């Protein structure tokens, strides 16, 4: 029987405040792999006389003692069922009291990596969202906040927890956190670790000790993470006025981690892939990701920790805002236009797909069965887009005033989306009741734009609609900021960017006093997360690609040409957009004064998943094999037409000298590899073979390797990489990913199956499992193989992983979320694979919810 039948749905409207204040928490850990003893003293004050005291506690807790004010609680005064322990109100004192408990847990057997577990001999924790209940009995909800004192007893040399160190002697450490926090922000680490250290002086003159803790031997790959932390602290002070509030900030890198990283107060625990980097082992993308995630988790100190969320329905309150802040940070440090385009690409690839399928939900859902299933692109990335729209609507000054008020008003609170919007209303005087639909309504609005030109006046008319999503059939109009600019026939901008505020289902805006009909540059900067439909001919798109002053709109024009050409080709049709795209892209990439990273983005064709999404949105049935073939044909035409230009770029973008992960060097390598991917079509892989052997950095080595895998020429290169880095877990993750992801679709499942039998495939490690299963899932035509082998392979592994780590299995199951948009044969095979998962006895609640939602859609 699945947990989906056993566990009731949790509803937002059922929220009730906790009937007790938790004034202080004292914890003591005696660490042992198979029998860690946790002693807790929780100081409560009743808010409601006579209320029962409900605590959360996983079934793995072995209760050894339970007492109130030192007196054992009689067995008949409490009940325990599943993850709940309830002490009858009649057994509680009328006033303040201390509940003491002693439990024993088994970290070595914790393969789900929730609560306290072991990672390669290191004790560590992951408590978001509901992991603390696997450590001890506790009101494990984000609105219960308290100050913590933690004692750790262990023979491990390094003993860490939240807050400031209060006492440290051999075998014992005491940590005190003066800032009230919910249990999901608790952290503990104990192990043989080495610190790469530094200091930071805050804007008020306080010295803060900084440490990045890694395994022995990894110290030489932790320096970039420390530098990124200092940059984050400086930026948050300068841009948001937020100062760090403890004496020490610790980051710990561990190998087994379900997420990317965790913002525990003062003790951030990171997946090692987001800490460790050197030119020989990490790519440019790794460096940028490390920099961004270090910033993200640090920024949570205020937007997530000092102000947390009242309940898990408000998850996007902390995550959407903090993603927006880390996007701003990366934009400031690197190329803002490139960062914006990359964020939009990710949104369209992941979140638009989510919005269009059975897993659609609003940024703030109103119900869930398993909260871990809602750590999604909608909560994070779309949540960030909603913040960006707010900022556009109120302006930079209004945004800063609202954020200052938010920090002043809600410091120490567990807040809600209503609290957040009220701050903006009070700071700016705006009514945001209609805007709030962005938080409560699922789906991506589709906006159609038409133009009318009359006697020097241009009228833009818009209509908006949002398709029904599961549980939400009616979608009222939303507030949609549409940034537009006008470009004259000669290519000069005649009207700078103006934000049109759409609030109705149909609405028009007129620009008067124009000497000639301009070309409209619409949705500049991707000013709203919408699908904008407009009837643009090929000539106009090419004009915008050549002349638009907004980088996003310029890139979008080229993207539109490519998507139209590829979509038509995938349906067996010819389209004039292909010739126009090839010609226009040639002119753009020849612009030596244009940012190399931007040229690389424009040169890369839309991915196969994006093409399938476009076809499905147009009512077509995508054929993964036809899409792959169409993309290959256009790539070949690009390469043949611009061979000399691409060869010149490949040579000119070489980065001699020492490697640097800065934006300039990364941009040059990005353009060089984009050129290489096309040149391979005409040189048979000669350049890729040479680059793979000669590359002085992992970025170019992996780029060349991916090309060779796609050609079926990678055996020697793969053997060399394994020989060089077989003992480096992060490089080997890349080795496992690139083979099924870059393989010809016909070979992808066979390669993945072979790799799954490799001795190095430690599938219980989340990174290694994601590397292989995610690599195959990213090969669109390979995963969607017509014989269903991709579906069967992934389903078998999801079932296996679900028994060990339900979070990872459920998150990887999203490979199936678009199964119902393909042809009848593929649908039948995908449905059979999903039904096979659903039929498993003892399926986790995580997986049961995901599969149930995906199977709920009609063929």
């Amino acid at each position: 029987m699945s947990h989906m039948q056993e566990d009731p749905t949790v509803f937002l409207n059922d929220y009730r405040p906790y009937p007790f204040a938790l004034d202080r928490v004292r914890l003591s850990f005696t660490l042992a792999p198979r029998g860690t003893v946790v002693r807790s003293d929780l100081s409560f004050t009743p808010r409601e006389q006579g209320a029962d005291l409900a605590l959360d506690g996983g079934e793995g807790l072995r209760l050894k003692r339970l007492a109130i004010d030192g007196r054992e609680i009689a067995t008949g005064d409490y009940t325990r069922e599943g993850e709940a322990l309830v002490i009858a109100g009649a057994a509680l004192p009328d006033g303040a009291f201390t509940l003491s408990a002693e439990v024993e847990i088994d970290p070595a057997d914790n393969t789900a990596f929730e609560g306290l577990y072991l990672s390669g001999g290191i004790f560590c924790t992951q408590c978001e969202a509901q992991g603390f209940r696997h450590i001890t009995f506790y009101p494990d909800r984000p609105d219960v906040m308290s100050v913590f004192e933690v004692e750790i007893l262990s023979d491990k040399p390094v003993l860490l927890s939240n807050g400031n160190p209060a006492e440290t002697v051999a075998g014992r450490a005491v940590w005190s956190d003066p800032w009230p926090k919910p249990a999901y922000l608790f952290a503990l680490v104990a192990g043989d670790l080495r610190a790469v250290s530094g200091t930071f002086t805050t804007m008020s003159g306080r010295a803060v000790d900084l440490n990045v803790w890694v395994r022995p031997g990894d110290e030489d790959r932790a320096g970039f993470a420390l530098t990124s932390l200092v940059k984050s602290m400086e930026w948050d002070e300068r841009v948001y006025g937020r100062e760090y509030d403890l004496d020490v900030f610790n980051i710990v890198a561990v190998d087994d981690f379900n997420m990317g990283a965790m913002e525990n107060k003062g003790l951030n625990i990171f997946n090692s892939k987001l800490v460790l980097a050197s030119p020989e082992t990490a790519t440019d993308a790794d460096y940028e990701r490390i920099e961004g995630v270090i910033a993200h988790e640090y920024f949570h100190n205020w937007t997530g920790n000092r102000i947390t969320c009242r309940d898990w329905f408000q998850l996007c309150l902390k995550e959407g805002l903090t993603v927006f802040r880390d996007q701003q940070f990366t934009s400031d440090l690197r190329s803002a236009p490139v960062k914006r385009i990359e964020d939009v690409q990710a949104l369209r690839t992941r979140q638009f797909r989510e919005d269009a399928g059975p897993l659609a939900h609003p940024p703030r859902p109103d119900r869930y069965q398993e909260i871990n299933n809602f750590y999604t692109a909608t909560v994070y990335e779309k949540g960030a887009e909603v913040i960006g729209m707010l900022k556009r609507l109120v302006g930079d000054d209004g945004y800063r005033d609202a954020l200052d008020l938010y920090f002043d008003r809600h410091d120490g609170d567990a807040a809600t989306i209503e609290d957040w919007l009220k701050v903006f209303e009070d700071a700016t005087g705006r009514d945001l009741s209609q805007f709030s639909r962005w938080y409560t309504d699922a789906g991506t609005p589709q906006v159609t734009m038409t133009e009318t030109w009359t006697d020097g006046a241009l009228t833009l008319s818009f209509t908006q609609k949002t398709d029904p999503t599961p549980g939400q059939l009616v979608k009222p109009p939303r507030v949609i900021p549409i940034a537009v600019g006008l470009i004259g026939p000669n290519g000069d901008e005649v009207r700078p960017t103006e934000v049109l505020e759409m609030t109705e289902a149909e609405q028009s805006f007129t620009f008067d006093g124009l000497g000639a009909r301009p070309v409209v540059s619409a949705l500049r900067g991707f000013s709203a997360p919408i699908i904008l439909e407009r009837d643009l001919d090929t000539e106009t798109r090419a004009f915008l690609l050549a002349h638009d002053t907004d980088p996003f709109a310029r890139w979008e024009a080229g993207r539109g040409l490519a998507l139209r050409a590829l979509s038509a080709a995938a349906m067996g049709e010819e389209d004039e957009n292909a010739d126009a795209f090839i010609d226009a892209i040639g002119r753009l990439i020849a612009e030596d004064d244009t940012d190399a990273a931007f040229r690389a983005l424009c040169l890369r064709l839309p991915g196969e998943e994006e093409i399938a999404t476009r076809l499905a949105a147009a009512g077509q049935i995508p054929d993964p094999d036809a899409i792959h073939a169409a993309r290959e044909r256009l790539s070949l035409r690009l390469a043949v037409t611009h061979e000399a230009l691409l060869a010149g770029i490949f040579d000119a973008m070489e980065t001699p000298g020492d490697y640097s992960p800065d934006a300039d060097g990364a941009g040059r390598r990005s353009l060089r590899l984009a050129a290489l991917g096309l040149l391979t079509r005409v040189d048979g892989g000669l350049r890729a073979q040479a680059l793979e052997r000669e590359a002085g950095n992992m970025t170019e080595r992996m780029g060349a390797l991916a090309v060779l895998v796609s050609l079926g020429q990678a055996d020697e290169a793969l053997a060399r990489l394994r020989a060089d880095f077989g003992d480096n877990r992060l490089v080997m993750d890349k080795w496992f990913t690139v083979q099924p992801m870059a393989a010809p679709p016909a070979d992808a499942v066979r390669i993945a199956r072979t790799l799954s039998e490799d001795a190095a495939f430690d599938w219980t490690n989340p990174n290694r499992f994601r590397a292989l299963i995610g690599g195959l899932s990213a090969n669109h035509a390979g995963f969607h193989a017509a014989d269903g082998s991709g579906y069967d392979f992934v389903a078998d592994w999801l079932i296996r992983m679900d028994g060990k780590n339900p979070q990872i299995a459920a998150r990887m199951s999203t490979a199936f979320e678009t199964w119902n948009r393909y042809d009848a044969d593929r649908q039948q095979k995908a449905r059979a694979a999903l039904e096979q998962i659903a039929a498993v006895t003892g399926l986790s609640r995580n997986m049961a919810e995901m599969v149930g939602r995906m199977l709920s859609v009609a063929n």
Side-chain angles (χ1 to χ4, degrees):
M1 182 185 299
S2 78
H3 281 276
M4 192 167 71
Q5 295 168 312
E6 299 168 1
D7 296 309
T9 299
V10 181
F11 293 92
L12 170 62
N13 288 339
D14 289 342
Y15 171 82
R16 300 292 181 272
Y18 195 63
F20 297 85
L22 181 51
D23 304 311
R24 180 168 293 275
V25 176
R26 294 182 177 85
L27 301 173
S28 178
F29 291 81
T30 303
L31 297 177
R34 307 295 313 194
T36 288
V37 175
V38 184
R39 300 173 183 84
S40 61
D41 295 305
L42 311 180
S43 299
F44 288 105
T45 300
R47 291 189 175 118
E48 299 177 16
Q49 291 300 321
D52 294 343
L53 181 65
L55 304 173
D56 302 294
E59 296 176 0
L61 302 183
R62 299 186 287 273
L63 180 61
K64 302 177 70 175
R65 179 174 179 268
L66 193 64
I68 292 178
D69 293 335
R71 295 185 355 179
E72 298 280 339
I73 301 176
T75 304
D77 288 335
Y78 71 90
T79 59
R80 185 180 180 189
E81 183 176 351
E83 291 192 346
L85 186 150
V86 180
I87 303 172
L92 301 174
D94 292 336
F97 62 92
T98 297
L99 176 72
S100 300
E102 183 175 312
V103 303
E104 188 176 73
I105 56 177
D106 191 348
D109 191 47
N110 184 356
T111 62
F113 305 144
E114 290 184 276
L116 178 67
Y117 64 94
L118 279 169
S119 174
I122 299 171
F123 289 92
C124 60
T125 56
Q126 171 54 28
C127 294
E128 188 177 357
Q130 296 176 334
F132 194 81
R133 63 189 59 189
H134 301 293
I135 293 175
T136 191
F137 293 101
Y138 197 88
D140 189 9
R141 41 190 285 173
D143 61 338
V144 176
M145 303 172 69
S146 186
V147 294
F148 280 64
E149 183 178 285
V150 178
E151 177 188 51
I152 309 171
L153 305 173
S154 173
D155 60 0
K156 298 290 185 181
V158 176
L159 307 176
L160 305 172
S161 191
N162 307 92
N164 296 317
E167 183 180 348
T168 302
V169 295
R172 179 175 184 267
V174 178
W175 288 79
S176 177
D177 188 353
W179 300 102
K181 66 176 180 286
Y184 84 85
L185 290 172
F186 170 79
L188 178 150
V189 173
D192 182 11
L193 297 162
R194 302 290 185 272
V196 175
S197 303
T199 59
F200 179 77
T201 302
T202 70
M203 57 187 180
S204 68
R206 289 189 308 104
V208 180
D209 293 327
L210 310 178
N211 300 296
V212 178
W213 296 92
V214 298
R215 293 181 184 278
D218 285 340
E219 298 94 325
D220 62 337
R221 293 190 289 150
F224 185 77
L226 181 64
T227 299
S228 299
L229 175 59
V230 171
K231 290 179 180 178
S232 304
M233 299 176 83
E234 292 172 341
W235 186 90
D236 210 20
E237 288 188 347
R238 183 177 71 254
V239 178
Y240 279 84
R242 297 298 102 194
E243 181 176 352
Y244 186 61
D245 52 9
L246 291 169
D247 299 334
V248 62
F249 191 94
N250 289 311
I251 290 173
V252 179
V254 298
D255 290 344
D256 301 287
F257 206 68
N258 288 342
M259 300 183 181
M262 180 60 207
E263 70 266 20
N264 321 292
K265 183 70 178 179
L267 176 56
N268 287 188
I269 300 178
F270 270 64
N271 191 316
S272 57
K273 71 178 182 179
L274 293 171
V275 171
L276 304 178
S278 68
E280 298 78 23
T281 62
T283 65
D284 291 331
D286 292 331
Y287 275 101
E288 183 173 339
R289 184 77 176 132
I290 288 168
E291 186 178 71
V293 176
I294 293 278
H296 179 95
E297 305 306 338
Y298 174 74
F299 296 158
H300 264 313
N301 187 62
W302 276 92
T303 52
N305 297 2
R306 288 283 288 260
I307 306 175
T308 193
C309 46
R310 186 195 71 178
D311 52 68
W312 290 117
F313 295 101
Q314 322 294 330
L315 181 59
C316 68
L317 175 68
K318 74 181 185 78
E319 294 300 347
L321 177 55
T322 306
V323 169
F324 180 71
R325 278 157 40 79
D326 80 53
Q327 290 173 347
Q328 288 181 295
F329 170 78
T330 300
S331 295
D332 284 355
L333 266 62
R334 294 177 179 266
S335 166
V338 169
K339 173 61 175 169
R340 185 59 186 145
I341 293 168
E342 290 174 341
D343 289 339
V344 173
Q345 285 181 302
L347 187 82
R348 287 174 169 170
T349 300
R350 296 175 57 231
Q351 198 281 320
F352 278 21
R353 183 174 93 162
E354 203 165 80
D355 260 353
L359 302 182
H361 61 277
R364 183 176 70 179
D366 63 357
R367 67 195 68 191
Y368 64 79
Q369 293 164 6
E370 170 53 62
I371 185 55
N372 284 307
N373 289 341
F374 281 88
Y375 283 75
T376 63
T378 297
V379 167
Y380 280 69
E381 279 74 30
K382 188 170 185 176
E385 293 295 322
V386 175
I387 305 295
M389 284 189 291
L390 260 180
K391 188 172 185 290
R392 288 183 192 94
L393 290 170
V394 305
D396 292 348
D397 292 341
Y399 176 78
R400 180 58 188 262
D401 290 344
L403 266 292
D404 287 344
L405 180 59
Y406 179 64
F407 294 129
D408 290 343
R409 180 180 290 178
H410 293 292
D411 187 9
D413 283 356
T416 65
I417 293 298
E418 285 76 17
D419 294 328
W420 165 253
L421 293 175
K422 184 66 163 59
V423 160
F424 273 81
E425 290 182 330
D426 292 349
T428 67
R430 290 185 63 107
D431 179 357
L432 295 175
S433 55
Q434 184 185 12
F435 183 85
S436 68
R437 291 174 186 157
W438 280 104
Y439 283 108
T440 60
D441 289 3
T444 303
Q446 299 155 49
V447 176
T448 301
M449 182 184 111
T450 58
E451 303 176 26
T452 304
W453 171 255
T454 307
D455 298 330
L458 177 68
T459 298
L460 304 181
S461 298
F462 299 90
T463 62
Q464 64 164 294
K465 68 167 186 171
T466 306
D467 290 337
T469 54
Q472 289 186 332
L473 301 181
V474 179
K475 310 283 186 175
R478 306 188 199 183
V479 178
I480 300 178
I482 304 173
V484 301
L486 304 182
I487 303 172
N490 63 352
D492 293 337
E493 189 169 72
V494 296
R495 286 284 188 93
T497 302
E498 179 179 342
V499 177
L500 310 178
E501 191 170 331
M502 186 181 185
T503 58
E504 306 294 335
E506 299 182 4
Q507 201 164 350
S508 297
F509 303 86
T510 298
F511 297 85
D512 296 313
L514 300 171
R517 180 167 185 167
V519 175
V520 181
S521 169
L523 202 64
R524 285 186 157 183
F526 198 65
S527 56
I530 63 173
I531 297 171
L532 179 65
E533 296 288 350
R534 53 188 302 208
D535 187 15
L536 281 182
D537 58 30
T538 301
E539 182 181 1
T540 304
R541 290 183 187 275
F543 176 88
L544 288 168
L545 179 58
H547 299 292
D548 206 318
T549 57
D550 180 79
F552 169 80
R554 189 182 187 195
W555 170 82
E556 181 81 322
R559 198 74 164 182
L561 287 170
L563 274 170
R564 287 203 171 195
L566 289 165
S567 299
M571 298 304 296
E573 305 166 0
E574 291 300 324
D575 190 286
E576 64 179 355
N577 287 279
D579 292 333
F581 173 73
I582 292 170
D583 181 62
I585 285 297
R587 290 196 300 271
L588 187 149
I589 63 173
E591 297 175 1
D592 292 336
D593 57 346
T594 297
D595 181 16
F598 178 76
R599 285 188 281 163
L601 286 173
C602 293
L603 187 57
R604 288 195 174 93
L605 296 181
E608 294 172 26
E609 175 69 39
E610 186 176 353
I611 301 165
T613 298
R614 178 183 177 87
L615 289 170
Q620 305 289 338
I621 297 177
D623 180 339
D625 295 322
I627 290 171
H628 178 76
R631 196 170 183 276
E632 289 296 298
R633 287 196 300 272
L634 185 56
S635 295
L636 177 60
R637 288 184 60 189
L638 266 173
V640 170
T641 303
H642 299 305
E643 181 179 2
L645 175 59
L646 291 167
I649 288 173
F650 179 80
D651 293 337
M653 291 298 110
E654 183 178 2
T655 52
D658 293 339
Y659 170 89
S660 172
D662 61 26
D664 180 66
R668 292 172 64 84
R669 285 184 290 273
S670 178
L671 181 55
R672 191 177 199 220
L673 290 174
L676 176 69
L678 293 171
L679 286 167
T680 297
R681 268 77 180 178
V682 292
D683 74 1
L686 292 177
R687 288 180 179 84
Q689 291 168 3
L691 182 60
E692 185 276 327
R693 290 191 299 268
E694 300 165 2
N697 58 80
M698 185 55 74
T699 302
E700 291 184 328
R701 187 169 183 178
M702 285 304 302
L705 179 59
V707 168
L708 294 175
V709 169
S710 72
L711 295 173
Q713 301 176 6
D715 289 350
E716 292 183 7
L718 288 166
R720 276 193 294 273
L721 189 69
R722 185 166 193 166
D724 291 344
F725 297 105
D727 59 349
N728 185 299
R729 50 204 178 273
L730 300 182
V731 174
M732 285 301 293
D733 287 339
K734 294 177 172 63
W735 188 87
F736 273 95
T737 297
V738 71
Q739 296 182 64
M741 183 171 67
D747 299 330
V749 177
R750 175 186 57 79
I751 289 171
R753 186 170 286 115
T754 300
L755 289 171
S756 71
E757 298 167 356
D758 192 289
F761 183 56
D762 177 11
W763 63 272
T764 61
N765 175 265
N767 286 351
R768 190 60 47 89
F769 186 82
R770 280 186 288 248
L772 180 60
I773 305 304
L776 176 60
S777 301
N779 188 323
H780 183 256
F783 173 66
H784 293 289
D787 63 0
S789 57
Y791 304 145
D792 293 340
F793 177 81
V794 172
D796 287 345
W797 276 106
L798 292 178
I799 291 169
R800 191 172 181 181
M801 177 57 85
D802 189 62
K804 287 283 188 181
N805 191 326
Q807 276 193 46
I808 295 300
R811 286 174 185 162
M812 297 304 294
S813 73
T814 58
F816 285 95
E817 71 179 306
T818 59
W819 69 273
N820 65 318
R821 73 184 180 190
Y822 296 98
D823 59 84
D825 286 344
R826 283 184 171 88
Q827 285 193 35
Q828 185 273 326
K829 292 177 173 66
R831 175 180 279 278
L834 288 169
E835 288 175 343
Q836 177 193 359
I837 298 172
V840 171
T841 300
L843 194 67
S844 73
R845 183 173 67 231
N846 308 60
M847 185 65 83
E849 180 182 21
M850 296 294 282
V851 173
R853 289 165 67 193
M854 285 188 276
L855 284 173
S856 68
V857 297
N859 286 349

